[in-house]
Amino acid sequence: MLDADFFRRWMTATAASVDREAERLTALDSPIGDADHGSNLQRGFTAVAATLEKEAPDTPGAVLTLAGRQLISTVGGASGPLYGTLLRRTGKALGDAGEVGEEQLAEALRAGVEAVMTLGGAAPGDKTMIDTLVPAVDALGTGFAAARTAAEQGALATTPLQARKGRASYLGERSIGHQDPGATSAALLIAALAEAAGE
Amino acid sequence: MKMLINVPETVVADALRGMAAAHPELTVDVENRVIVRRDAPVAGKVALISGGGSGHEPLHGGFVGPGMLSAACPGEVFTSPVPDQMVRAAAAVDSGAGVLFIVKNYTGDVLNFDMAAELAEDEGIQVAKVLVNDDVAVTDSLYTAGRRGTGATLFVEKIAGAAAEEGQPLERVEAIARQVNENSRSFGVALSACTTPAKGSPTFDLPAGELELGVGIHGEPGRERRAMMTSREIADFSVHAILDDMSPRNPVLVLVNGMGATPLLELYGFNAEVQRVLTDRGVAVARTLVGNYVTSLDMAGASVTLCQVDEELLRLWDAPVKTPGLRWGV
């Protein structure tokens, strides 16, 4: 079973990973976005880690809800509301149980991903974070390591796609050949989940 | 890249402190990033709130004041503000007559303002929203994020701001803002890329001797890249791109806008070419504004915005305005 501490480790591991990869995310965002994805997420997850250190919610749902609200309040751009909604809705779907099973987490994460799709209007194949999150959630049924692999492959698979949502969509065909920064950061989030599980 | 800054992390806060010192007629909340006209809330007046990424100055903070915006929410450089800022701004300027959010069509701005509208309504503030999407360079279809909001933002903020200043009700101010947007079209070109403080190097690669046609206000590309053209050729291309999309039957307001690093000498020369194309095409010009109003940091280039006006819109355009970035009739 996964307790609040597991979810705090997940968020802390994400913050550390975003911190390490911020420059790479910004570099990926440079040719097809406006070169701020790394610094924006870094600001947000640093705030999340600091908040969770100060306040220690005692249920998995509360950890994610608080993290999501913090992202919405600090990130801005499209990634603030999108990542914020992902975590908030996942947290809400977990309810106020003190511990949750892996299956429950997979279901809640699916609800979170669906909320992101509704908010941003993106579907698989649009070259967004959805291309990472959908296969990751599908694979979560077979374990955290499988989810991480699926997420990484999903992010890599955005390279040949033409962007249809977000700022990269203005490039049209010229967005082809670049890996999507949002899909890449979403893979970091899922990899951190596997890390929190010790996998 | 040399920049007149301390560290990238404090660029926006430093600018707001400097703005506060230069404009005592504004209340600048540096910590929460909200710029408010000092006499707000004005009794009985609809409040206009806009915002977006920093780096487009004077948009939007420079358009706060009597006759235009009630408040502005600057985000990080090229990043939309967060909902907390808009909610704070709404609480500061709402007199009970409601607030109008003026939102440029970028995914981040739209999402954050949508969230803010919900939160402000929870606090009992009446909120209306208008989306600015004037950029004809973007193919508008179900499969893109839609047309960007660019130069028309200035027309919407000025004209709807004048209507609000007259005491017109929220539904009417919103309708006028929509009318201005629907009658506005823009097209931009970049002669060089811009450099964000966080990255410190150009955000895209634009080789010497080439220009980008149909660029947005973050330097994000539009239609195509070509070998450098003359001012005359760029004016022909830009104005025709707009007129292919809209055939004005009424006179137009013209905005020839600099992207930040193109001097007025060039902008006035470009305006002469823009006016020539309009005359050739039989489009009457009511008023013209030339300058750096909706910028992209240090990007060289310009955009053209046309707004077709009737007598009412023209009267509101001419109404007095007193802001750091736009000021006349007072």
Side-chain angles (χ1 to χ4, degrees), chain A residues 26-27 29-36 39-40 43 71-82 85 88 119-120 126 163-167 169-171 174, chain B residues 76-84 105-109 111-112 115 138 142-148 196 198-199 202-204 212 218 220-225:
Chain A
T26 290
D29 193 32
S30 213
I32 61 171
D34 52 7
D36 60 6
S39 48
N40 285 345
R43 185 172 60 247
L71 290 178
I72 292 169
S73 296
T74 51
V75 178
S79 43
L82 293 172
T85 295
R88 271 190 69 225
L119 181 67
D126 284 348
R164 294 199 288 219
K165 290 288 164 192
R167 203 157 283 165
S169 71
Y170 303 130
L171 274 159
R174 287 192 283 172
Chain B
E76 287 296 319
V77 172
F78 287 179
T79 300
S80 80
V82 299
D84 310 35
N105 190 30
Y106 291 96
T107 311
D109 290 293
L111 296 183
N112 284 285
M115 293 195 158
V138 175
L142 284 173
Y143 304 107
T144 69
R147 288 184 168 180
R148 298 172 286 219
T196 58
K199 183 154 184 275
T203 57
F204 62 104
E212 180 83 34
H218 311 89
E220 75 278 20
R223 286 192 179 169
E224 57 179 305
R225 196 166 278 193

Coordinates of all heavy atoms in Angstrom, one line a residue, chain A residues 26-27 29-36 39-40 43 71-82 85 88 119-120 126 163-167 169-171 174, chain B residues 76-84 105-109 111-112 115 138 142-148 196 198-199 202-204 212 218 220-225:
Chain A
T26 N 14.2 23.5 -21.3 CA 14.1 24.8 -21.9 C 14.7 24.7 -23.3 O 14.2 25.4 -24.2 CB 14.9 25.8 -21.0 OG1 14.0 26.0 -19.8 CG2 15.1 27.1 -21.7
A27 N 15.8 23.9 -23.4 CA 16.4 23.8 -24.8 C 15.4 23.1 -25.7 O 15.3 23.5 -26.9 CB 17.7 23.0 -24.7
D29 N 12.2 23.4 -25.6 CA 11.2 24.4 -25.7 C 11.6 25.5 -26.6 O 10.8 26.3 -27.1 CB 10.7 24.9 -24.4 CG 9.4 25.7 -24.4 OD1 8.6 25.3 -25.3 OD2 9.2 26.6 -23.7
S30 N 12.9 25.6 -26.9 CA 13.4 26.8 -27.6 C 13.0 26.8 -29.1 O 12.5 27.8 -29.6 CB 14.9 26.8 -27.5 OG 15.4 28.0 -27.5
P31 N 13.2 25.6 -29.8 CA 12.8 25.7 -31.2 C 11.3 25.7 -31.5 O 10.9 26.2 -32.6 CB 13.5 24.5 -31.8 CG 13.7 23.5 -30.7 CD 13.9 24.4 -29.5
I32 N 10.5 25.2 -30.6 CA 9.1 25.0 -30.9 C 8.2 25.8 -29.9 O 7.0 25.8 -30.1 CB 8.6 23.6 -31.1 CG1 8.8 22.8 -29.8 CG2 9.3 22.9 -32.2 CD1 8.2 21.4 -29.9
G33 N 8.8 26.3 -28.9 CA 8.0 27.1 -27.9 C 8.6 28.4 -27.6 O 9.1 29.0 -28.6
D34 N 8.6 28.8 -26.4 CA 9.3 30.1 -26.1 C 10.3 30.0 -25.0 O 10.6 31.0 -24.3 CB 8.3 31.2 -25.9 CG 7.3 30.9 -24.8 OD1 7.5 29.8 -24.2 OD2 6.4 31.6 -24.6
A35 N 11.0 28.8 -24.9 CA 12.2 28.7 -24.1 C 12.0 29.0 -22.6 O 12.8 29.6 -22.0 CB 13.3 29.6 -24.7
D36 N 10.9 28.5 -22.1 CA 10.7 28.8 -20.6 C 10.2 27.5 -19.9 O 9.9 27.6 -18.7 CB 9.9 30.0 -20.4 CG 8.5 29.9 -20.9 OD1 8.1 28.8 -21.5 OD2 7.7 30.8 -20.9
S39 N 12.4 26.5 -16.8 CA 12.4 27.4 -15.7 C 11.1 27.6 -15.0 O 11.0 27.7 -13.8 CB 13.0 28.8 -16.1 OG 12.4 29.2 -17.3
N40 N 10.0 27.5 -15.8 CA 8.6 27.5 -15.2 C 8.3 26.4 -14.3 O 7.9 26.5 -13.2 CB 7.6 27.6 -16.3 CG 7.5 29.0 -17.0 OD1 8.1 29.9 -16.5 ND2 6.9 29.1 -18.1
R43 N 10.4 26.5 -11.1 CA 9.8 27.4 -10.1 C 8.7 26.7 -9.4 O 8.5 26.8 -8.2 CB 9.3 28.7 -10.8 CG 8.8 29.8 -9.9 CD 8.6 31.0 -10.7 NE 7.6 30.9 -11.7 CZ 7.8 31.0 -13.0 NH1 9.0 31.2 -13.5 NH2 6.8 30.8 -13.9
L71 N 1.1 24.4 -7.9 CA 1.6 24.6 -9.3 C 0.8 25.7 -10.0 O 1.3 26.5 -10.7 CB 1.5 23.3 -10.0 CG 2.5 22.2 -9.6 CD1 2.3 20.9 -10.4 CD2 4.0 22.6 -9.8
I72 N -0.6 25.6 -9.8 CA -1.4 26.6 -10.4 C -1.1 28.0 -9.9 O -1.1 28.9 -10.7 CB -2.9 26.3 -10.1 CG1 -3.3 25.0 -10.8 CG2 -3.9 27.4 -10.5 CD1 -4.7 24.4 -10.4
S73 N -0.7 28.1 -8.7 CA -0.4 29.4 -8.1 C 1.0 30.0 -8.4 O 1.3 31.1 -8.2 CB -0.5 29.4 -6.6 OG -1.8 29.2 -6.2
T74 N 1.9 29.1 -9.0 CA 3.2 29.6 -9.2 C 3.8 29.5 -10.6 O 4.7 30.2 -10.9 CB 4.3 28.8 -8.2 OG1 4.1 27.4 -8.4 CG2 4.1 29.2 -6.8
V75 N 3.2 28.6 -11.4 CA 3.9 28.3 -12.7 C 3.5 29.3 -13.8 O 4.3 29.8 -14.5 CB 3.6 26.8 -13.1 CG1 4.3 26.6 -14.5 CG2 4.2 25.9 -12.1
G76 N 2.2 29.5 -13.9 CA 1.7 30.3 -15.1 C 1.8 29.5 -16.4 O 2.0 28.3 -16.4
G77 N 1.7 30.3 -17.5 CA 1.7 29.6 -18.8 C 0.6 28.5 -18.9 O -0.3 28.5 -18.1
A78 N 0.8 27.6 -19.8 CA -0.1 26.5 -20.0 C 0.2 25.4 -19.0 O -0.6 24.7 -18.5 CB -0.1 26.0 -21.4
S79 N 1.5 25.2 -18.7 CA 1.9 24.1 -17.9 C 1.4 24.2 -16.4 O 1.2 23.2 -15.8 CB 3.4 23.8 -17.9 OG 4.1 25.0 -17.9
G80 N 1.2 25.4 -15.9 CA 0.7 25.6 -14.5 C -0.7 25.0 -14.4 O -0.8 24.0 -13.6
P81 N -1.6 25.4 -15.2 CA -3.0 24.9 -15.1 C -3.0 23.4 -15.4 O -3.8 22.6 -14.8 CB -3.8 25.7 -16.0 CG -3.1 27.0 -16.2 CD -1.6 26.6 -16.0
L82 N -2.2 23.0 -16.4 CA -2.3 21.6 -16.9 C -1.7 20.6 -15.9 O -2.4 19.7 -15.4 CB -1.6 21.4 -18.2 CG -2.3 22.2 -19.4 CD1 -1.4 22.1 -20.7 CD2 -3.7 21.6 -19.7
T85 N -3.8 20.8 -12.6 CA -5.1 20.1 -12.8 C -4.8 18.6 -12.7 O -5.6 17.8 -12.0 CB -5.8 20.4 -14.1 OG1 -6.2 21.8 -14.0 CG2 -7.0 19.6 -14.3
R88 N -4.1 17.8 -9.0 CA -5.3 18.1 -8.1 C -6.4 17.1 -8.4 O -7.0 16.5 -7.4 CB -5.9 19.5 -8.4 CG -5.3 20.6 -7.6 CD -6.1 21.9 -7.8 NE -7.4 21.8 -7.2 CZ -8.5 22.2 -7.8 NH1 -8.5 22.8 -8.9 NH2 -9.7 22.1 -7.1
L119 N -9.4 20.0 -20.2 CA -9.0 21.4 -20.0 C -8.2 21.9 -21.2 O -8.5 23.0 -21.7 CB -8.1 21.5 -18.7 CG -7.6 22.9 -18.4 CD1 -8.7 23.8 -18.0 CD2 -6.5 22.8 -17.2
G120 N -7.3 21.1 -21.7 CA -6.4 21.6 -22.7 C -6.9 21.3 -24.1 O -6.5 21.8 -25.1
D126 N -1.4 14.7 -30.6 CA -1.3 16.2 -30.8 C 0.0 16.7 -30.4 O 0.3 17.9 -30.6 CB -2.4 16.9 -30.0 CG -3.8 16.8 -30.6 OD1 -3.9 16.3 -31.8 OD2 -4.8 17.1 -29.9
A163 N 2.7 19.4 -34.2 CA 1.9 19.9 -33.1 C 0.6 20.5 -33.5 O 0.5 21.2 -34.5 CB 2.8 20.9 -32.4
R164 N -0.4 20.2 -32.7 CA -1.7 20.7 -33.0 C -2.3 21.5 -31.8 O -3.4 22.1 -31.9 CB -2.7 19.6 -33.3 CG -2.3 18.9 -34.7 CD -3.4 18.2 -35.3 NE -3.7 17.0 -34.5 CZ -4.0 15.8 -35.1 NH1 -4.0 15.7 -36.4 NH2 -4.2 14.7 -34.4
K165 N -1.6 21.5 -30.7 CA -2.0 22.3 -29.5 C -0.9 23.1 -29.0 O 0.3 22.8 -29.2 CB -2.6 21.4 -28.4 CG -3.9 20.7 -28.8 CD -5.0 21.7 -28.8 CE -6.2 21.1 -29.5 NZ -7.3 22.1 -29.8
G166 N -1.2 24.2 -28.3 CA -0.2 25.0 -27.6 C 0.6 25.8 -28.6 O 0.3 25.8 -29.8
R167 N 1.7 26.4 -28.1 CA 2.4 27.3 -28.9 C 3.1 26.7 -30.1 O 3.3 27.3 -31.2 CB 3.4 28.1 -28.1 CG 3.8 29.4 -28.6 CD 4.3 30.3 -27.6 NE 3.3 30.9 -26.8 CZ 3.4 31.5 -25.6 NH1 4.6 31.6 -25.1 NH2 2.4 32.0 -25.0
S169 N 2.0 24.6 -32.1 CA 1.1 24.4 -33.2 C 1.2 25.5 -34.3 O 0.9 25.4 -35.4 CB -0.4 24.4 -32.7 OG -0.8 25.6 -32.3
Y170 N 1.7 26.7 -33.9 CA 1.9 27.8 -34.8 C 3.0 27.5 -35.9 O 3.0 28.1 -36.9 CB 2.3 29.1 -34.1 CG 1.3 29.5 -33.1 CD1 1.6 29.9 -31.8 CD2 -0.1 29.5 -33.4 CE1 0.7 30.2 -30.8 CE2 -1.1 29.9 -32.4 CZ -0.6 30.2 -31.1 OH -1.6 30.5 -30.2
L171 N 3.8 26.5 -35.5 CA 4.9 26.2 -36.5 C 4.4 25.3 -37.6 O 5.1 25.1 -38.6 CB 6.0 25.4 -35.7 CG 7.1 26.3 -35.0 CD1 7.7 25.5 -33.9 CD2 8.1 26.7 -36.1
R174 N 6.7 22.7 -39.4 CA 8.0 22.9 -38.9 C 8.2 22.4 -37.5 O 9.3 22.4 -37.0 CB 8.4 24.4 -39.0 CG 8.7 24.8 -40.5 CD 9.3 26.1 -40.5 NE 8.4 27.2 -40.3 CZ 8.7 28.5 -40.2 NH1 10.0 28.8 -40.2 NH2 7.8 29.4 -40.0
Chain B
E76 N 5.6 36.0 -15.6 CA 7.0 35.9 -15.9 C 7.2 36.3 -17.4 O 6.3 36.4 -18.1 CB 7.5 34.5 -15.7 CG 7.6 34.1 -14.2 CD 8.7 34.9 -13.5 OE1 9.7 35.1 -14.0 OE2 8.4 35.3 -12.3
V77 N 8.5 36.4 -17.8 CA 8.8 36.8 -19.2 C 8.2 35.7 -20.1 O 8.5 34.5 -20.0 CB 10.3 36.9 -19.4 CG1 10.6 37.1 -20.9 CG2 10.8 38.1 -18.6
F78 N 7.3 36.2 -21.0 CA 6.6 35.3 -22.0 C 5.8 34.2 -21.4 O 5.5 33.2 -22.1 CB 7.6 34.7 -23.0 CG 8.2 35.7 -24.0 CD1 9.1 35.3 -24.9 CD2 7.8 37.1 -24.0 CE1 9.7 36.3 -25.8 CE2 8.3 38.0 -24.9 CZ 9.3 37.6 -25.8
T79 N 5.5 34.3 -20.1 CA 4.7 33.3 -19.5 C 3.4 33.9 -18.9 O 3.5 35.0 -18.2 CB 5.5 32.6 -18.3 OG1 6.6 32.0 -18.9 CG2 4.6 31.5 -17.6
S80 N 2.3 33.4 -19.1 CA 1.1 34.0 -18.6 C 1.1 34.1 -17.1 O 1.8 33.3 -16.4 CB -0.2 33.2 -19.0 OG -0.3 32.1 -18.1
P81 N 0.4 35.1 -16.5 CA 0.3 35.2 -15.1 C -0.5 34.1 -14.5 O -1.1 33.2 -15.3 CB -0.5 36.5 -14.9 CG -1.1 36.8 -16.2 CD -0.3 36.2 -17.2
V82 N -0.6 34.0 -13.2 CA -1.3 32.9 -12.5 C -2.6 33.4 -12.0 O -2.8 34.6 -11.9 CB -0.5 32.3 -11.4 CG1 0.8 31.7 -11.9 CG2 -0.2 33.3 -10.3
P83 N -3.6 32.5 -11.8 CA -5.0 32.9 -11.5 C -5.0 33.8 -10.2 O -5.8 34.7 -10.1 CB -5.7 31.6 -11.2 CG -5.0 30.6 -12.0 CD -3.5 31.0 -12.0
D84 N -4.1 33.6 -9.3 CA -4.1 34.3 -8.0 C -4.0 35.8 -8.3 O -4.6 36.7 -7.6 CB -3.0 33.9 -7.1 CG -2.9 32.4 -6.9 OD1 -3.2 31.7 -7.8 OD2 -2.5 32.0 -5.8
N105 N -5.4 35.2 -27.1 CA -5.5 33.7 -27.3 C -4.2 33.0 -27.4 O -3.7 32.7 -28.5 CB -6.3 33.5 -28.6 CG -6.7 32.1 -28.8 OD1 -6.9 31.4 -27.8 ND2 -6.8 31.6 -30.0
Y106 N -3.7 32.7 -26.2 CA -2.6 31.8 -26.0 C -3.0 30.8 -25.0 O -3.7 31.2 -24.0 CB -1.3 32.5 -25.5 CG -0.7 33.4 -26.5 CD1 -1.1 34.8 -26.5 CD2 0.1 33.0 -27.5 CE1 -0.5 35.7 -27.5 CE2 0.6 33.8 -28.5 CZ 0.3 35.2 -28.5 OH 0.8 36.0 -29.4
T107 N -2.7 29.5 -25.2 CA -3.2 28.5 -24.3 C -3.1 28.9 -22.8 O -4.0 28.7 -22.0 CB -2.5 27.2 -24.6 OG1 -2.6 26.9 -26.0 CG2 -3.2 26.0 -23.9
G108 N -1.9 29.3 -22.4 CA -1.6 29.6 -21.0 C -2.5 30.8 -20.5 O -3.0 30.7 -19.4
D109 N -2.6 31.8 -21.3 CA -3.4 32.9 -20.9 C -4.9 32.5 -20.7 O -5.5 32.9 -19.7 CB -3.3 34.1 -21.9 CG -2.0 34.8 -21.9 OD1 -1.6 35.4 -20.9 OD2 -1.2 34.6 -22.9
L111 N -6.2 29.5 -20.2 CA -6.4 28.6 -19.1 C -6.3 29.3 -17.7 O -7.2 29.1 -16.8 CB -5.4 27.4 -19.1 CG -5.4 26.5 -20.3 CD1 -4.4 25.4 -20.1 CD2 -6.8 25.9 -20.4
N112 N -5.4 30.2 -17.6 CA -5.2 30.9 -16.3 C -6.4 31.9 -16.0 O -6.9 32.0 -14.9 CB -3.9 31.5 -16.2 CG -2.7 30.6 -15.9 OD1 -2.6 30.1 -14.8 ND2 -2.0 30.2 -16.9
M115 N -9.5 29.9 -15.1 CA -9.5 29.5 -13.7 C -9.8 30.7 -12.8 O -10.5 30.6 -11.8 CB -8.1 28.9 -13.3 CG -7.9 27.6 -14.0 SD -6.5 26.7 -13.3 CE -6.9 25.0 -13.8
V138 N -1.9 32.8 -38.5 CA -2.1 31.5 -38.0 C -3.3 30.9 -38.7 O -4.4 31.5 -38.8 CB -2.4 31.5 -36.5 CG1 -2.7 30.1 -36.0 CG2 -1.2 32.0 -35.8
L142 N -9.7 23.6 -36.4 CA -9.9 22.7 -35.2 C -8.6 22.1 -34.7 O -8.5 21.7 -33.6 CB -10.9 21.6 -35.5 CG -12.4 22.0 -35.6 CD1 -13.2 20.8 -36.1 CD2 -12.9 22.4 -34.2
Y143 N -7.6 22.1 -35.6 CA -6.4 21.4 -35.3 C -5.2 22.3 -34.9 O -4.1 21.9 -35.0 CB -6.0 20.5 -36.5 CG -7.1 19.5 -36.9 CD1 -7.9 19.7 -38.0 CD2 -7.4 18.5 -36.0 CE1 -8.9 18.9 -38.3 CE2 -8.5 17.7 -36.3 CZ -9.2 17.8 -37.4 OH -10.2 17.0 -37.7
T144 N -5.5 23.5 -34.6 CA -4.5 24.4 -34.1 C -5.0 25.0 -32.8 O -6.2 24.9 -32.5 CB -4.1 25.5 -35.0 OG1 -5.2 26.5 -35.1 CG2 -3.8 25.0 -36.4
A145 N -4.2 25.8 -32.1 CA -4.6 26.5 -30.9 C -5.4 27.7 -31.3 O -5.8 28.5 -30.4 CB -3.4 26.8 -30.1
G146 N -5.5 28.0 -32.6 CA -6.3 29.2 -33.0 C -5.4 30.4 -33.2 O -4.2 30.4 -32.9
R147 N -6.0 31.5 -33.7 CA -5.3 32.7 -34.0 C -4.8 33.3 -32.7 O -5.6 33.4 -31.7 CB -6.2 33.7 -34.7 CG -6.4 33.2 -36.2 CD -7.2 34.3 -36.9 NE -7.1 33.9 -38.3 CZ -7.7 34.6 -39.3 NH1 -8.4 35.7 -39.0 NH2 -7.6 34.3 -40.5
R148 N -3.6 33.9 -32.7 CA -3.0 34.5 -31.6 C -3.6 35.9 -31.4 O -4.1 36.6 -32.3 CB -1.5 34.7 -31.8 CG -0.8 33.4 -31.9 CD 0.7 33.6 -32.3 NE 0.8 34.0 -33.7 CZ 1.8 33.6 -34.4 NH1 2.7 32.8 -34.0 NH2 1.9 34.0 -35.7
T196 N 15.3 35.8 -24.3 CA 14.7 35.9 -23.0 C 15.8 35.9 -21.9 O 16.9 35.2 -22.1 CB 13.8 34.7 -22.7 OG1 14.5 33.5 -22.8 CG2 12.6 34.7 -23.7
A198 N 16.0 34.4 -19.1 CA 16.3 33.1 -18.5 C 17.2 32.3 -19.4 O 18.0 31.5 -18.9 CB 14.9 32.4 -18.3
K199 N 17.0 32.4 -20.7 CA 17.8 31.6 -21.6 C 19.1 32.3 -22.0 O 20.2 31.6 -22.1 CB 17.0 31.3 -22.9 CG 17.7 30.4 -23.9 CD 16.7 29.7 -24.7 CE 17.5 28.7 -25.6 NZ 18.0 29.3 -26.9
P202 N 19.4 33.8 -28.2 CA 18.2 33.9 -29.0 C 17.2 32.7 -28.9 O 17.7 31.6 -29.0 CB 18.7 34.1 -30.4 CG 20.1 34.7 -30.2 CD 20.6 34.0 -29.0
T203 N 15.9 32.9 -28.8 CA 15.0 31.8 -28.7 C 14.8 31.1 -30.0 O 14.2 30.0 -29.9 CB 13.6 32.3 -28.2 OG1 13.1 33.3 -29.1 CG2 13.7 33.0 -26.8
F204 N 15.1 31.7 -31.1 CA 15.0 30.9 -32.3 C 16.1 31.4 -33.2 O 16.7 32.4 -33.0 CB 13.7 30.9 -33.0 CG 13.2 32.3 -33.4 CD1 13.2 32.6 -34.8 CD2 12.7 33.2 -32.5 CE1 12.8 33.9 -35.2 CE2 12.2 34.4 -32.9 CZ 12.2 34.8 -34.3
E212 N 11.3 36.4 -40.9 CA 10.3 35.4 -40.7 C 8.9 36.2 -40.9 O 8.7 37.2 -40.2 CB 10.4 35.0 -39.2 CG 9.3 34.0 -38.8 CD 9.7 32.5 -39.2 OE1 10.8 32.2 -39.2 OE2 8.7 31.8 -39.5
H218 N 6.0 36.4 -29.4 CA 7.1 35.8 -28.6 C 8.2 35.3 -29.6 O 9.1 34.5 -29.3 CB 6.6 34.6 -27.9 CG 5.4 34.9 -27.1 ND1 4.1 34.7 -27.6 CD2 5.2 35.4 -25.9 CE1 3.2 35.1 -26.7 NE2 3.9 35.5 -25.7
E220 N 7.5 33.4 -31.9 CA 7.2 32.1 -32.4 C 6.7 32.3 -33.9 O 6.0 33.2 -34.2 CB 6.1 31.4 -31.6 CG 4.7 31.9 -31.7 CD 4.5 33.2 -30.8 OE1 5.4 33.8 -30.4 OE2 3.3 33.5 -30.6
P221 N 7.2 31.4 -34.7 CA 7.1 31.6 -36.1 C 5.6 31.5 -36.7 O 4.8 31.0 -36.0 CB 7.9 30.5 -36.8 CG 8.8 30.0 -35.7 CD 8.0 30.2 -34.4
G222 N 5.5 32.0 -37.9 CA 4.2 31.9 -38.5 C 4.2 31.2 -39.8 O 4.5 30.0 -39.9
R223 N 4.1 32.0 -40.9 CA 3.9 31.4 -42.2 C 5.2 30.8 -42.8 O 5.3 29.7 -43.2 CB 3.3 32.4 -43.2 CG 1.9 32.6 -42.8 CD 1.2 33.4 -43.9 NE -0.2 33.5 -43.6 CZ -1.1 34.3 -44.2 NH1 -0.7 35.0 -45.2 NH2 -2.3 34.4 -43.8
E224 N 6.2 31.7 -43.0 CA 7.4 31.2 -43.7 C 8.6 32.1 -43.5 O 8.5 33.2 -43.0 CB 7.1 31.1 -45.2 CG 6.6 32.4 -45.8 CD 6.4 32.4 -47.3 OE1 7.3 31.9 -48.1 OE2 5.3 32.7 -47.8
R225 N 9.7 31.6 -43.9 CA 11.0 32.3 -43.8 C 11.4 32.6 -45.2 O 11.4 31.8 -46.1 CB 12.0 31.4 -43.1 CG 13.1 32.1 -42.6 CD 13.9 31.2 -41.6 NE 13.3 31.3 -40.3 CZ 13.9 30.8 -39.2 NH1 15.0 30.2 -39.3 NH2 13.3 30.9 -38.0

